[in-house]
Amino acid sequence: MNAIKIKSLADVRKIEQAQAFEELMPFETTYEAIKAGASLSPHKVAISFFLSGDQFDKPTNISYKTLIENITKTANFFHFLGLDSNDVVAFILPNLPETHYVMWGGEAACQVLAINPLLEPNQIKDLINSAGAKAVVTMNPMTNIDLWPKLESILPELDNVKHVIGVDVAHYVPGLKGLAASAIQTFNRIKIAVPAGKQYHHFQSAIKRETAFCLIFQRAISDRTVSSLFCTGGTTGLPKIARRTHHNELANSLSVQLANGDLLSKDKVILGGLPLFHVNGALVTGLVPFSIGATVVMATPQGYRGENVISKFWDIVGYHRVSAFSGVPTVYSALMSFPTEGKDLSSLELGICGAAPMPVETFKSFQQKTGIKILEGYGCTEGTCVSSLNPFHGEQKIGSIGIRIPYQEMMSVKIENDKIIAECKTDEIGTLVVKGPNVFLGYQLDHQNKGVFVTDENGEKWLNTGDLARQDEDGYFWLTGRKKELIVRGGHN
């Protein structure tokens, strides 16, 4: 897509000057983008999924043909339930192929609300009610998995939910254990009872009945059509729900592709270990690779937290010929404990680090040990996902969040009364603001939007990230603090 290998901010500007953003956007919905990616090589592996690190060499492989068919069937199923553009389906799921079906099928038919499965039942209840979700998807009752009991305990209090949808996972368990797991799951499913006024649906059985070849409905799409609701913040109290559009997600996906032109193609393999209820997991290991027809390796339902994923990481990379992965600093620190000697890392080109600053010593030691280039970047849920990145082909400034990616603006500014009164000088600390087609519509609750958007002297709206930063003479940004302190633990904000 991008012939320019970005080395500096000047290259970003060259890309923007060469073609208007609107001319580069061929799709209206995320569904259309994934369908186009699937058409490049329908029989190629789209998802390679395994339940534990010990099973990395015995994955379940899902072709692009199967992926887009299941996304299509899921969208048609939600339409059959009566969900449309203004309705919400919530999902409380670990990282499964079915999570992708629900996420992208849900965006095609209605809006999806992504919920962290680690939240407490009352928090889940408040989020579902706040969004007015009419349907909710989670895992069917399964031994040692607490998702169904969590949902079951709050079902009577979910005011708008009419449909409860259960996903099976036993079919991913190999051999005799799989047969036993399927029998247990079937037995548990038979006992499911939901409150009056709500209907239970078995996900796999339901989508089997739906058309796989096309959407059976049409939608009027604009650049303000909401696709997803992702939760953000919530170090104390309830997380805020960010309203994002198809246009936001497509724009950010396109910008990420342009920023990493030669590093992203249908021949690449991206390792997914971050949770899909988080924007990084959804975009970097979902929409972006699916849009270009690349392969995504889904490393267990728990991602990097899954059994023996970290200890087997270098074997996973070698076996699946992984090109790139995205992680948080704790992932890189954990990987330092496992030797790379004798491991085949020849396919691995880069690692991306975000969510929190990486300690300089960890950064240097990891690169020296592995020979892999780490690109530190920055993004937020309100900006869809990615806003800046250290350029792979340019100068790597350790500790910096890099330069802005194409087709969005970033500045450090001074703000008074929700107005930008001045742009900061070189290396002067100010509030980090972002503008572009990636910026969200706002939070679900109006009162939470106070101070989120600020205007410049031309009346144009910018996202106030709440972070403090400076920009150096080369255009690289450096975070210097946060106006709103945020705890990042194990990759979860």
Side-chain angles (χ1 to χ4, degrees), residues 19-189:
Q19 196 167 12
F21 177 78
E22 291 73 16
E23 297 172 6
L24 287 169
M25 181 71 82
F27 311 114
E28 287 189 328
T29 67
T30 55
Y31 174 82
E32 291 175 353
I34 295 171
K35 187 175 182 179
S39 70
L40 298 174
S41 300
H43 299 291
K44 181 176 179 287
V45 174
I47 295 174
S48 194
F49 171 73
F50 47 89
L51 286 173
S52 76
D54 295 323
Q55 298 173 16
F56 72 87
D57 57 348
K58 301 178 183 65
T60 297
N61 290 326
I62 296 164
S63 71
Y64 264 101
K65 179 177 182 292
T66 300
L67 173 67
I68 194 61
E69 286 180 352
N70 282 332
I71 290 172
T72 303
K73 288 191 287 187
T74 302
N76 288 333
F77 168 56
F78 290 147
H79 176 73
F80 168 76
L81 296 182
L83 304 179
D84 61 25
S85 296
N86 296 316
D87 295 323
V88 175
V89 56
F91 70 84
I92 316 162
L93 293 168
N95 286 9
L96 302 168
E98 285 81 0
T99 311
H100 280 299
Y101 308 158
V102 169
M103 185 185 306
W104 308 116
E107 289 197 4
C110 50
Q111 304 172 24
V112 293
L113 169 64
I115 295 180
N116 181 349
L118 299 179
L119 292 177
E120 295 300 320
N122 280 336
Q123 292 176 300
I124 294 173
K125 176 195 70 178
D126 290 342
L127 288 171
I128 291 174
N129 284 339
S130 179
K134 291 187 177 179
V136 60
V137 187
T138 194
M139 288 174 61
N140 279 319
M142 190 83 179
T143 306
N144 298 326
I145 298 175
D146 68 349
L147 293 187
W148 182 266
K150 274 187 180 181
L151 180 62
E152 187 176 39
S153 69
I154 58 174
L155 276 179
E157 301 171 82
L158 300 182
D159 304 330
N160 296 293
V161 169
K162 303 299 180 187
H163 302 282
V164 183
I165 303 160
V167 173
D168 278 350
V169 294
H171 54 286
Y172 293 118
V173 181
L176 293 176
K177 287 185 178 180
L179 293 175
S182 293
I184 293 169
Q185 192 144 39
T186 300
F187 176 75
N188 289 339
R189 194 170 67 236

Side-chain angles (χ1 to χ4, degrees), residues 20 32 57 129 211 259 263 304 313 385 405 421:
E32 291 175 353
D57 57 348
N129 284 339
T211 299
L263 302 171
Y304 292 126
F313 188 86
C385 183
I405 64 175
I421 59 171

Side-chain angles (χ1 to χ4, degrees), residues 65 175 210 310 374 468:
K65 179 177 182 292
E210 300 297 334
I310 296 297
I374 302 173
L468 302 177

Side-chain angles (χ1 to χ4, degrees), residues 83-375:
L83 304 179
D84 61 25
S85 296
N86 296 316
D87 295 323
V88 175
V89 56
F91 70 84
I92 316 162
L93 293 168
N95 286 9
L96 302 168
E98 285 81 0
T99 311
H100 280 299
Y101 308 158
V102 169
M103 185 185 306
W104 308 116
E107 289 197 4
C110 50
Q111 304 172 24
V112 293
L113 169 64
I115 295 180
N116 181 349
L118 299 179
L119 292 177
E120 295 300 320
N122 280 336
Q123 292 176 300
I124 294 173
K125 176 195 70 178
D126 290 342
L127 288 171
I128 291 174
N129 284 339
S130 179
K134 291 187 177 179
V136 60
V137 187
T138 194
M139 288 174 61
N140 279 319
M142 190 83 179
T143 306
N144 298 326
I145 298 175
D146 68 349
L147 293 187
W148 182 266
K150 274 187 180 181
L151 180 62
E152 187 176 39
S153 69
I154 58 174
L155 276 179
E157 301 171 82
L158 300 182
D159 304 330
N160 296 293
V161 169
K162 303 299 180 187
H163 302 282
V164 183
I165 303 160
V167 173
D168 278 350
V169 294
H171 54 286
Y172 293 118
V173 181
L176 293 176
K177 287 185 178 180
L179 293 175
S182 293
I184 293 169
Q185 192 144 39
T186 300
F187 176 75
N188 289 339
R189 194 170 67 236
I190 291 171
K191 297 188 295 181
I192 289 175
V194 297
K198 304 184 192 303
Q199 185 177 0
Y200 169 80
H201 308 267
H202 176 224
F203 178 76
Q204 279 87 354
S205 298
I207 67 169
K208 277 183 181 179
R209 298 189 289 267
E210 300 297 334
T211 299
F213 306 109
C214 65
L215 298 178
I216 59 174
F217 56 90
Q218 292 183 331
R219 295 177 66 186
I221 302 293
S222 76
D223 60 6
R224 294 183 64 82
T225 300
V226 175
S227 56
S228 62
L229 306 170
F230 274 81
C231 303
T232 182
T235 54
T236 58
L238 191 68
K240 297 174 182 176
I241 298 175
R243 299 167 62 241
R244 298 128 52 84
T245 69
H246 285 273
H247 191 65
N248 293 153
E249 294 180 343
L250 291 169
N252 204 224
S253 174
L254 180 62
S255 291
V256 170
Q257 292 173 52
L258 289 168
N260 297 279
D262 57 323
L263 302 171
L264 287 172
S265 71
K266 68 183 183 68
D267 301 318
K268 302 299 184 180
V269 178
I270 312 300
L271 176 63
L274 295 176
L276 291 178
F277 64 79
H278 190 279
V279 293
N280 192 306
L283 188 100
V284 177
T285 59
L287 183 59
V288 170
F290 291 157
S291 297
I292 60 175
T295 295
V296 175
V297 176
M298 295 186 72
T300 81
Q302 294 79 32
Y304 292 126
R305 294 168 175 246
E307 183 181 0
N308 291 329
V309 170
I310 296 297
S311 64
K312 298 283 187 179
F313 188 86
W314 305 121
D315 296 308
I316 293 168
V317 166
Y319 181 85
H320 290 277
R321 307 299 298 156
V322 171
S323 311
F325 68 97
S326 182
V328 295
T330 51
V331 169
Y332 289 91
S333 296
L335 289 174
M336 290 291 290
S337 301
F338 297 94
T340 58
E341 289 77 9
K343 308 296 183 182
D344 181 5
L345 307 186
S346 59
S347 64
L348 193 56
E349 296 174 304
L350 64 102
I352 296 174
C353 182
M358 181 183 289
V360 173
E361 283 308 311
T362 301
F363 195 110
K364 290 180 177 178
S365 298
F366 190 90
Q367 290 199 148
Q368 184 176 11
K369 176 181 177 178
T370 65
I372 299 162
K373 200 165 189 176
I374 302 173
L375 304 184

